[in-house]
């Protein structure tokens, strides 16, 4: 590559709030795949799957039921479905689609709970997604970086759309609180006190509890519990660990306590949840 012999310089005057949201966008991948024929799938309860979904229909439309509302998911558009949104596939619409499941605290904070879609025609990007959706392929550093990048590239399509930005509340979560949330997720098997979390955030316990509830819309105690349940869902879906092992890894005192709390939260037993999630889409 030949470099020019003159200076190049651009001072970037981006919207500060949007720039902050994009710069702090966290993506933690759960799954990536292609489903040629989806089986009927029902998401139950107020605490449904905690991850975002990206959908692209490859051939024909599908239809989702959101309470009493029927939503068409059609080819030519990319769809972003928020976490904890109960929905059901219409039984007659078993359409082929590419999908990605991922976590993002930043997006969950910035977006209201509704489905968004944008025009999409970058088939080479979808081909890269499908190339990384090989069943049984080993997880490597390279594949992790690639899949994370693909998810960010797909999300970028939404941030390029003015209509999407109108609905985006670009309220950045303070970094100390982000560190606390990450610490909670990484230590699901441990007993964590409010005092410990407040010290990590370098706040008093009262200040920390108020700030955390302001940005995450739940108390630190509720966030810890939900993080354990979310981690249990991921382990049930992605591993063959026993219920006892999952209870230990998620910080529950015993298998019975885990079983009771999981069923109370998810409206199904751990075994039922694992069975329902054998085929993802």
């Amino acid at each position: 590559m030949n470099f020019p012999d003159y200076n190049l310089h651009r001072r970037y005057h981006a919207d500060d709030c949007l720039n902050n949201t994009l710069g702090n966008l966290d993506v933690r991948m759960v799954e990536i795949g292609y489903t040629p024929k989806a089986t009927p799938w029902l998401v139950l309860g107020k605490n449904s799957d905690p991850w975002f979904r990206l959908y692209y229909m490859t051939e024909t439309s599908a239809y989702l039921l959101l309470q009493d509302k029927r939503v068409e998911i059609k080819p030519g558009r990319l769809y972003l479905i928020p976490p904890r949104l109960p929905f059901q596939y219409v039984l007659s619409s078993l359409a082929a689609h590419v999908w990605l499941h991922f976590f993002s605290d930043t997006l969950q904070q910035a977006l209201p709970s509704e489905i968004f879609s944008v025009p999409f025609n970058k088939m080479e990007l979808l081909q890269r997604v499908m190339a990384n959706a090989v069943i049984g392929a080993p997880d490597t550093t390279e594949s992790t970086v690639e899949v994370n990048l693909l998810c960010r590239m797909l999300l970028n399509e939404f941030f390029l759309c003015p209509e999407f930005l109108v609905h985006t509340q670009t309220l950045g979560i303070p970094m100390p609180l982000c560190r606390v949330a990450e610490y909670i997720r990484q230590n699901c098997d441990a007993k964590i006190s409010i005092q410990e979390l407040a010290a990590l955030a370098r706040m008093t316990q009262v200040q920390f509890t108020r700030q955390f509830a302001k940005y995450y819309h739940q108390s630190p105690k509720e966030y810890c519990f939900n993080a354990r349940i979310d981690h249990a869902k991921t382990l049930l879906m992605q591993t063959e660990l026993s219920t006892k092992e999952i209870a230990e890894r998620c910080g529950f005192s015993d298998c019975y306590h885990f079983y009771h709390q999981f069923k109370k939260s998810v409206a199904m037993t751990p075994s039922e949840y694992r069975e329902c999630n054998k085929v993802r889409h």
Side-chain angles (χ1 to χ4, degrees):
M1 178 178 179
N2 294 321
F3 293 93
D5 58 359
Y6 49 85
N7 292 333
L8 297 174
H9 176 77
R10 176 186 180 187
R11 178 157 294 175
Y12 197 66
H13 297 281
D15 178 86
D16 287 340
C17 289
L18 177 58
N19 209 29
N20 184 58
T21 299
L22 292 173
N24 293 308
L25 183 61
D26 57 315
V27 173
R28 305 188 307 281
M29 294 301 304
V30 179
E31 288 187 306
I32 180 171
Y34 166 70
T35 302
K37 185 177 182 181
T39 55
W41 172 249
L42 176 63
V43 180
L44 297 173
K46 62 179 181 180
N47 289 314
S48 53
D49 287 340
W51 43 77
F52 284 87
R53 287 174 162 88
L54 280 169
Y55 278 3
Y56 181 83
M57 313 310 296
T58 59
E59 298 172 6
T60 60
S61 293
Y63 294 88
L64 304 182
L65 291 179
L66 287 78
Q67 297 179 341
D68 298 327
K69 183 180 179 181
R70 179 182 169 110
V71 178
E72 182 180 7
I73 309 294
K74 51 190 176 182
R77 299 189 69 86
L78 185 66
Y79 291 83
L80 177 62
I81 302 177
R84 307 191 189 284
L85 179 68
F87 71 87
Q88 181 179 2
Y89 290 112
V90 177
L91 298 182
S92 60
S93 62
L94 306 180
H97 62 288
V98 177
W99 49 268
L100 295 89
H101 298 169
F102 66 95
F103 290 103
S104 175
D105 287 339
T106 304
L107 276 184
Q108 191 165 344
Q109 170 65 18
L111 299 177
S113 297
E114 58 182 278
I115 295 178
F116 293 95
S117 72
V118 293
F120 186 80
N121 59 4
K122 297 181 179 178
M123 296 300 106
E124 72 284 354
L125 187 52
L126 289 181
Q127 290 294 333
R128 286 177 61 183
V129 171
M130 295 174 69
N132 281 274
V134 179
I135 297 176
D139 292 330
T140 64
T141 301
E142 290 79 7
S143 65
T144 300
V145 172
E146 170 74 359
V147 171
N148 190 287
L149 176 61
L150 290 173
C151 186
R152 288 173 178 272
M153 292 173 70
L154 291 172
L155 288 173
N156 187 57
E157 297 298 310
F158 291 89
F159 285 102
L160 292 173
C161 179
E163 290 78 9
F164 177 76
L165 295 178
V166 168
H167 296 278
T168 303
Q169 305 164 9
T170 52
L171 178 62
I173 302 176
M175 189 55 64
L177 297 182
C178 291
R179 286 197 298 266
V180 168
E182 181 66 19
Y183 179 81
I184 292 172
R185 292 192 300 268
Q186 291 182 355
N187 294 276
C188 287
D189 59 337
K191 292 183 178 180
I192 306 174
S193 67
I194 301 299
Q195 182 180 5
E196 179 183 356
L197 297 178
L200 182 62
R202 297 183 178 180
M203 301 177 185
T204 66
Q205 292 187 46
V206 173
Q207 182 186 23
F208 166 70
T209 301
R210 288 176 178 172
Q211 288 294 306
F212 194 93
K214 173 184 176 181
Y215 286 96
Y216 287 96
H217 308 293
Q218 56 189 307
S219 70
K221 183 178 180 180
E222 290 171 329
Y223 190 92
C224 288
F225 175 78
N226 288 328
R228 288 178 175 140
I229 294 296
D230 292 348
H231 189 44
K233 288 179 177 179
T234 304
L235 292 175
L236 286 166
M237 185 180 68
Q238 294 184 328
T239 75
E240 297 299 326
L241 292 172
S242 67
T243 302
K244 182 177 183 298
E245 290 173 309
I246 291 176
E248 292 174 351
R249 292 195 182 194
C250 296
F252 290 92
S253 56
D254 56 60
C255 190
Y256 174 78
H257 183 232
F258 167 61
Y259 181 95
H260 176 73
Q261 292 297 323
F262 189 93
K263 186 175 181 181
K264 181 180 179 180
S265 178
V266 185
M268 62 177 72
T269 68
S271 298
E272 289 170 341
Y273 186 85
R274 172 172 273 166
E275 183 66 25
C276 284
N277 284 273
K278 282 186 175 179
V279 179
R280 299 297 300 177
H281 42 265

